[in-house]
Amino acid sequence: MSVDLAATLVVAIPLLSAGVLLLLGRRSDGFGHWLGVAASAASCVLSVLLLLSLLGSPAEDRSVGVHLFSWIPAGELSVDAGFLVDPLSVTFLILITFVGTLIHVYAVAYMEHDDDRRRFFAYLNLFVAAMLILVLADSYALLFVGWEGVGLASYLLIGFWNQRTDYAVAAKKAFVMNRVGDMGLLIGMGALFATVGSVEFDEVFAAVPGLSEGWLTAIGLALLLGACGKSAQFPLQAWLGDAMAGPTPVSALIHAATMVTAGVYLIVRSGPIFEAAPTAQLVVAVVGAVTLLFGAIVGCAKDDIKKALAASTMSQIGYMMLAAGLGPIGYAFAIFHLFTHGFFKAGMFLGAGSVMHGMNDEVNMRGFGGLSRYMRVTWITFGLGWLAILGIPPFSGFWSKDKIIEAAFVGEGWQPWVLGGAALIGAGITAFYMSRLFFMTFHGEPRFNDGKNDQPGPEQHPHESPALMTVPMIVLALGSAALGGVLMVGESFFHWLEPVTGHVEHHEPVVPVPVLIAATLVLVALGVFLAWRQYWAARVPVTAPAGSVLTRAARRDLYQDVVNEAVFARPGTHLVRTMTYADTAVVDGAVNGLGAGAVGWGERLRKVQNGFVRSYGALMAVGVVLVLVAVLATRI
């Protein structure tokens, strides 16, 4: 099969499946879920074929353009719709379709009793198709189509159970905040057209050396704003925790393999722009460092298992953004961590869904405890993901996250100490909050009512999930355990990405690598110990204690919604009210006043038209007199 056909079908199949499931409606309820799984699996097979095709080509030929059709012939702006098949896009294809297919299989059982399961799979297929368009696009214009498609699908999936007002509000919040970021991407595209006259990748990157640093900085910052919205980076991160309103398979898809990785992809794909704009590049790294600490601190105080994992995702994407902001030395590390994170974070989200399945949809970890004895497969698979995100050797996170920490300590002046220090501290906090989550859920004394104790609440009987749910978790757990080490053999993953990210010589960090590794492991061990002492060895209160000021702030997401409300929502509300008053009192007042005046004069003049001939004759006589007076006055 040719590259052109495979690349076209990899998008067309899930897109067609989504259309069929939506158009057939209830008539496809009986088989719709399996059609959705088959569509995602077919795209996965085609993605593997594309991977093999590129692997069989020399490194210099691993970039294939696929022309689809002439799309926007608009005067000076002419854009063709086409795909770019290269190591970066194919890496994302493998991640999206493979992990996405496992999530589809899991969802067959998870959504078994939902009357709208067929519609759910249609939205999943739409989500996958949009993300595939995004990463395959050969221009910012087509990328934007996938970008908006992902935004639409996420809105539909987060608010899937929109009969609950809070779920509908969560979907709206994610949609609106992403639109804020999208304005940045649109402004960046407009600036590219104004300066380059094109939005196609090859033409834009070829023109970068001829552009001023000021323009490139503005374009880079605009693209970063778009990335912050889609990848939930500071200051547009407030929507991510609320996005847990959707069914758990949605959380795994959004937070592991698709939507939140789009911003990292955008930055790495736009590497030539950021390399020529060091200020914008530094801002990317700083945003990543701030977000990784922000998410880690929030994760320490969350009792909702899915929201704790969402905070973890925010933090881990921060690591990726930090690496992408380091320039060529960090691009491959960012994608490497993105790839391994897709496996262990998807596995943990599915594990959280398995726990909910066995606990009557309970999400409060303070009502769990001791579940390892009831849910062995979930415990083991989740545990492998936990070890991976902690960065314990030889699990995947050790190879990918530690590379980012090492790269963050490369440089001169204050940057390696600040950025590297943030990455190092983040590793310790990550170990604490993820161990807290793991211990509160699977270890310690049971805190749920199983009918054998005096715990409050309805009686619960935790049990293992069916095979359709546990098998995808096992596959993802194997990836969490071994994938990083396999891809690091001979640094094969980095060599694979070199046609896109470029070959970069090894740079020594300001702190020796063995010292960094040792310091990271010490901080991780300390975080695990503190979590063990507080959430396993000690009794965990069923009701959360008041906690410190920082704990209370973290429970409220460090007041991010309060800040957004005070800085943006309320001033916006007052502005709209002022404009409404001005429109009503001034604009409408003037128009209505003019109309009222005309009506008033009409009412007065109407009295002259009384229908009496003598009155009309008298008026005519007065008129003749006035005319004569005027004529005589002009002659004098």
Side-chain angles (χ1 to χ4, degrees):
M1 182 180 294
S2 68
V3 172
D4 292 28
L5 180 59
T8 303
L9 290 177
V10 80
V11 173
I13 290 175
L15 191 61
L16 179 62
S17 173
V20 168
L21 293 177
L22 291 173
L23 291 174
L24 286 181
R26 292 294 182 186
R27 288 170 290 181
S28 59
D29 279 353
F31 64 87
H33 48 289
W34 289 118
L35 177 61
V37 171
S40 182
S43 287
C44 183
V45 172
L46 291 167
S47 299
V48 172
L49 293 177
L50 288 171
L51 171 65
L52 296 175
S53 175
L54 291 193
L55 286 174
S57 304
E60 60 273 13
D61 295 331
R62 290 178 181 171
S63 181
V64 181
V66 178
H67 179 267
L68 298 177
F69 52 87
S70 179
W71 182 27
I72 306 177
E76 297 181 6
L77 176 63
S78 178
V79 181
D80 291 338
F83 292 150
L84 177 59
V85 181
D86 65 3
L88 180 59
S89 60
V90 170
T91 298
F92 273 84
L93 292 186
I94 296 295
L95 176 64
I96 295 164
T97 58
F98 184 77
V99 176
T101 299
L102 292 175
I103 294 171
H104 276 68
V105 173
Y106 177 97
V108 171
Y110 190 88
M111 301 293 290
E112 181 179 6
H113 302 294
D114 195 293
D115 293 336
D116 292 319
R117 180 168 63 170
R118 178 263 321 157
R119 179 166 58 88
F120 179 78
F121 275 84
Y123 293 164
L124 284 184
N125 277 180
L126 178 63
F127 199 116
V128 169
M131 190 67 192
L132 294 175
I133 292 173
L134 190 157
V135 298
L136 277 172
D138 66 351
S139 68
Y140 287 101
L142 188 58
L143 178 148
F144 189 74
V145 173
W147 194 272
E148 292 304 296
V150 169
L152 170 63
S154 67
Y155 171 75
L156 296 172
L157 286 168
I158 294 169
F160 184 75
W161 290 322
N162 55 25
Q163 63 269 23
R164 284 187 51 172
T165 302
D166 54 336
Y167 286 10
V169 170
K172 182 176 68 174
K173 181 178 181 180
F175 189 81
V176 170
M177 292 201 73
N178 271 269
R179 301 292 75 73
V180 175
D182 294 351
M183 288 303 300
L185 183 53
L186 279 172
I187 292 171
M189 291 167 58
L192 285 172
F193 175 64
T195 54
V196 179
S198 174
V199 290
E200 296 186 0
F201 292 150
D202 55 352
E203 296 183 17
V204 168
F205 300 154
V208 164
L211 300 180
S212 69
E213 186 174 323
W215 267 112
L216 290 170
T217 299
I219 293 169
L221 292 176
L223 296 179
L224 173 60
L225 180 61
C228 286
K230 199 64 72 181
S231 290
Q233 297 294 283
F234 183 83
L236 297 178
Q237 80 287 359
W239 64 271
L240 196 67
D242 296 281
M244 296 299 98
T248 300
V250 175
S251 305
L253 195 63
I254 289 177
H255 292 73
T258 54
M259 182 169 172
V260 294
T261 63
V264 180
Y265 171 81
L266 177 65
I267 300 298
V268 174
R269 178 62 80 186
S270 305
I273 294 175
F274 287 95
E275 290 164 37
T279 301
Q281 191 173 63
L282 177 60
V283 174
V284 173
V286 170
V287 165
V290 170
T291 308
L292 76 87
L293 291 176
F294 190 105
I297 293 170
V298 169
C300 291
K302 291 296 184 182
D303 293 330
D304 184 316
I305 187 172
K306 289 176 66 177
K307 289 192 175 183
L309 288 173
S312 170
T313 297
M314 183 194 309
S315 180
Q316 295 303 305
I317 299 292
Y319 271 104
M320 301 169 206
M321 293 293 283
L322 168 59
L326 298 175
I329 66 170
Y331 292 154
F333 298 155
I335 301 302
F336 187 30
H337 191 52
L338 185 152
F339 198 76
T340 60
H341 174 266
F343 281 79
F344 58 72
K345 184 53 63 65
M348 286 190 286
F349 265 114
L350 297 188
S354 180
V355 170
M356 292 169 60
H357 175 82
M359 294 293 289
N360 297 334
D361 290 328
E362 179 61 60
V363 294
N364 186 356
M365 295 184 293
R366 293 187 177 276
F368 294 161
L371 293 183
S372 60
R373 70 193 71 170
Y374 303 97
M375 311 175 71
R376 286 288 181 181
V377 176
T378 301
W379 170 56
I380 293 172
T381 55
F382 198 104
L384 291 175
W386 166 65
L387 293 171
I389 197 172
L390 260 57
I392 302 296
F395 298 96
S396 292
F398 169 75
W399 304 104
S400 58
K401 190 167 68 176
D402 277 38
K403 282 292 183 182
I404 295 177
I405 296 174
E406 178 184 327
F409 274 98
V410 173
E412 299 177 352
W414 62 268
Q415 293 183 25
W417 298 105
V418 173
L419 300 179
L424 193 60
I425 294 170
I429 303 176
T430 298
F432 173 78
Y433 74 77
M434 287 305 302
S435 298
R436 173 182 181 269
L437 185 156
F438 188 64
F439 296 153
M440 285 181 71
T441 302
F442 295 102
H443 296 281
E445 291 298 320
R447 298 179 297 278
F448 53 87
N449 180 15
D450 60 357
K452 302 175 183 178
N453 53 37
D454 57 355
Q455 294 291 354
E459 192 170 316
Q460 294 172 312
H461 300 283
H463 56 276
E464 189 56 270
S465 300
L468 279 175
M469 294 172 65
T470 56
V471 170
M473 291 158 53
I474 292 171
V475 175
L476 291 169
L478 292 175
S480 303
L483 186 62
V486 170
L487 296 179
M488 273 299 293
V489 174
E491 297 190 340
S492 56
F493 188 79
F494 304 140
H495 294 312
W496 156 253
L497 288 175
E498 277 184 0
V500 181
T501 60
H503 175 73
V504 180
E505 297 296 334
H506 179 72
H507 294 76
E508 286 295 331
V510 294
V511 178
V513 174
V515 175
L516 282 179
I517 295 175
T520 302
L521 292 177
V522 167
L523 286 175
V524 168
L526 179 61
V528 173
F529 170 74
L530 293 175
W532 171 84
R533 187 182 65 176
Q534 187 171 351
Y535 298 102
W536 187 348
R539 185 177 182 85
V540 178
V542 176
T543 302
S548 65
V549 174
L550 181 58
T551 300
R552 294 195 297 272
R555 285 174 184 158
R556 298 187 62 184
D557 300 328
L558 297 181
Y559 303 112
Q560 54 187 337
D561 285 331
V562 175
V563 172
N564 290 340
E565 179 77 16
V567 176
F568 300 106
R570 288 180 184 172
T573 300
H574 292 315
L575 177 62
V576 169
R577 287 176 178 171
T578 302
M579 297 298 292
T580 302
Y581 174 78
D583 180 63
T584 303
V586 180
V587 179
D588 289 351
V591 173
N592 294 336
L594 183 62
V599 170
W601 278 105
E603 289 291 333
R604 293 179 179 88
L605 292 174
R606 183 171 63 85
K607 296 178 180 179
V608 178
Q609 303 292 328
N610 53 20
F612 294 111
V613 175
R614 61 179 180 272
S615 298
Y616 298 155
L619 288 174
M620 293 173 62
V622 171
V624 170
V625 171
L626 292 175
V627 170
L628 290 175
V629 170
V631 171
L632 292 174
T634 56
R635 292 180 176 274
I636 296 176

